[in-house]
Amino acid sequence: MERVALPERPGWKALAEKLGFGFHSMYGAPYWDESRAYCFSLSEIENDIEDPTTELWQMCLELVAHVVADSALMERLAIPQAYHAWIKESWLRSDPSLYGRFDFHYDGTGPAKMLEFNADTPTALYETGFFQWVWLEQQIQAGVLSDDTDQFNSVQDALIERLQQMFAPGYRLHFSSVKNLEEERATVRYLEDCAKQAGLEPKFVAIEDIGIDHQGRFADDDDYVIDTIFKLYPWEDMLRERFGPALLTAPQKWLEPPWKAILSNKGILPLLWEMFPDHPNLLPSWFADDVPIWVKETAHVQKPLFSREGANIRVVRPGRPILETEGQYGAEGSIVQAYHPPARFGADHMMIGSWVIGGNTCGLCIREDSSEVTQDLSRFVPHFIQA
């Protein structure tokens, strides 16, 4: 694995905007950065990213089965008691999952270390599945990359295939996200396009515009009853908001399904470490109220059970300044994870995201930042595989 400097495509910003990628730059700084790219060997992808992701996904499924059988564990994860049985029923019904993203630190020399699992509302899907692939094709056409260059990226095909497995042709599938958040709307718009290619009928409704009819069913702003809805909105918030109790009786199906409320919680990190101690792709982790004294004297990272985009992360390394990110998370509790340094190239730190769609590992994305903590404005950098 190496980072290489590459020429940018002429006019790529205009192309991005034409293709709906208007947030390629944010607040005067680049979000998409194609002045460099990461080069991997096929063995690094297959052995160090793809295989561990597949194994970790299976471990997570084992963990869900373990948690739903023990209400005390759901309480440990700060899941409100009123929803325990509902989440368990979702698991026992085998409610299908669409996608998720594991985040790793990996430098090409040792096992990839799982930082967390974005199981419920991961973004960067459009950039990974579509725009990154366009970049590869155009750089090959321009002769910047050789004809035998590849990319670990079947994300779009996997999404379409998964949606075809889950729904009959012509099925009306609702999609939702928060109003006025461009990145999230772009993710959902991309999924809507994949649904069209899968032969479905996508319909968007902003999360704020969903209502409840007189029969207790959720409906959109055109009064269509919602049968199944993909929501780019976290379960931990839905379970605590005023319409939350209606979830228990409404007939709707949800993507991601209710049992993903377990896996979208960073409390799975100590639980996975307890179930699979010394696994090469896991980092030692504990709940914050159960941390051995010796851990506090070593390098470690404290993370809230619920947080997004690197908010409220505290990195402690003895003899060095504490790194803390801002945010409004942490009231429900936190975990402590052993520190593992990110790969560093010059002044930049990188993190790998590995996508799982329908249970299959199918692509990766890379984020860079001058900070060790990846946040919402961290740059997206493309990758390729060189034979």
Side-chain angles (χ1 to χ4, degrees):
M1 183 185 83
E2 62 176 334
R3 189 176 75 173
V4 296
L6 292 176
E8 299 185 12
R9 294 166 294 164
W12 73 261
K13 291 184 180 180
L15 175 65
E17 290 165 11
K18 179 181 178 181
L19 295 175
F21 189 12
F23 57 99
H24 58 75
S25 302
M26 292 187 282
Y27 307 103
Y31 167 64
W32 171 271
D33 185 354
E34 60 178 70
S35 66
R36 72 282 301 273
Y38 283 86
C39 176
F40 294 84
S41 68
L42 183 59
S43 64
E44 287 173 332
I45 293 293
E46 291 180 339
N47 300 329
D48 297 345
I49 304 297
E50 185 176 13
D51 288 349
T53 301
T54 300
E55 184 177 1
L56 287 166
W57 169 247
Q58 293 301 319
M59 290 160 56
C60 283
L61 296 181
E62 288 186 47
L63 176 63
V64 175
H66 179 56
V67 171
V68 298
D70 188 343
S71 188
L73 288 178
M74 283 207 253
E75 290 182 10
R76 194 78 163 117
L77 297 177
I79 297 173
Q81 195 278 333
Y83 299 96
H84 291 188
W86 181 67
I87 290 171
K88 181 177 182 179
E89 289 164 5
S90 169
W91 172 254
L92 295 177
R93 280 195 309 266
S94 299
D95 288 351
S97 166
L98 180 60
Y99 77 141
R101 190 191 74 230
F102 287 93
D103 287 343
F104 294 114
H105 277 169
Y106 173 71
D107 63 5
T109 62
K113 296 296 185 179
M114 174 185 167
L115 304 176
E116 59 185 74
F117 183 31
N118 299 275
D120 186 24
T121 59
T123 52
L125 190 65
Y126 169 85
E127 304 93 294
T128 302
F130 182 72
F131 201 72
Q132 181 179 219
W133 186 257
V134 171
W135 169 85
L136 177 73
E137 289 183 325
Q138 293 187 341
Q139 294 291 50
I140 292 175
Q141 291 168 2
V144 174
L145 298 175
S146 62
D147 290 343
D148 63 350
T149 306
D150 202 355
Q151 190 176 86
F152 183 42
N153 189 2
S154 60
V155 166
Q156 184 159 308
D157 289 343
L159 284 169
I160 294 169
E161 181 179 355
R162 180 59 172 163
L163 289 167
Q164 289 174 330
Q165 292 171 351
M166 295 168 70
F167 304 104
Y171 187 90
R172 177 184 288 146
L173 178 60
H174 279 80
F175 291 84
S176 188
S177 63
V178 175
K179 290 179 179 178
N180 303 321
L181 291 178
E182 185 179 4
E183 181 184 359
E184 295 192 3
R185 185 67 188 97
T187 297
V188 173
R189 190 178 291 114
Y190 177 55
L191 285 167
E192 291 175 60
D193 185 67
C194 290
K196 286 181 183 178
Q197 294 184 61
L200 310 182
E201 181 186 334
K203 190 175 189 304
F204 179 79
V205 56
I207 198 80
E208 298 93 333
D209 293 336
I210 297 174
I212 301 175
D213 70 7
H214 65 282
Q215 297 183 43
R217 302 173 301 180
F218 289 104
D220 66 22
D221 48 352
D222 291 321
D223 295 327
Y224 284 102
V225 172
I226 296 169
D227 294 318
T228 303
I229 183 167
F230 171 90
K231 45 94 191 153
L232 197 67
Y233 194 72
W235 275 120
E236 62 263 25
D237 291 343
M238 292 181 69
L239 301 186
R240 289 168 169 81
E241 294 177 353
R242 63 183 180 84
F243 60 80
L247 295 166
L248 299 173
T249 55
Q252 277 73 31
K253 298 177 183 177
W254 299 91
L255 289 176
E256 292 298 307
W259 58 264
K260 278 292 196 75
I262 294 172
L263 293 182
S264 64
N265 187 310
K266 292 181 182 63
I268 69 168
L269 298 171
L271 294 180
L272 283 170
W273 183 251
E274 182 178 315
M275 289 182 66
F276 305 97
D278 300 319
H279 189 282
N281 299 114
L282 295 177
L283 290 168
S285 302
W286 305 265
F287 287 97
D289 58 2
D290 196 29
V291 178
I293 294 176
W294 64 266
V295 173
K296 299 177 181 179
E297 300 173 356
T298 63
H300 63 271
V301 182
Q302 186 163 341
K303 303 177 179 181
L305 294 182
F306 309 121
S307 78
R308 306 277 159 175
E309 305 287 3
N312 297 107
I313 303 297
R314 190 170 189 263
V315 181
V316 179
R317 292 155 297 174
R320 300 180 63 181
I322 292 175
L323 170 62
E324 291 188 86
T325 59
E326 298 180 349
Q328 300 179 344
Y329 299 97
E332 291 82 10
S334 59
I335 65 100
V336 171
Q337 187 179 52
Y339 172 80
H340 185 81
R344 184 168 180 171
F345 295 84
D348 300 311
H349 306 88
M350 67 91 81
M351 184 189 74
I352 290 176
S354 181
W355 293 91
V356 174
I357 296 173
N360 297 313
T361 308
C362 58
L364 68 82
C365 57
I366 294 172
R367 303 289 296 277
E368 272 190 353
D369 204 295
S370 58
S371 169
E372 291 191 62
V373 179
T374 304
Q375 300 183 72
D376 56 345
L377 299 182
S378 298
R379 297 178 304 279
F380 189 110
V381 179
H383 81 277
F384 62 94
I385 303 170
Q386 194 66 63

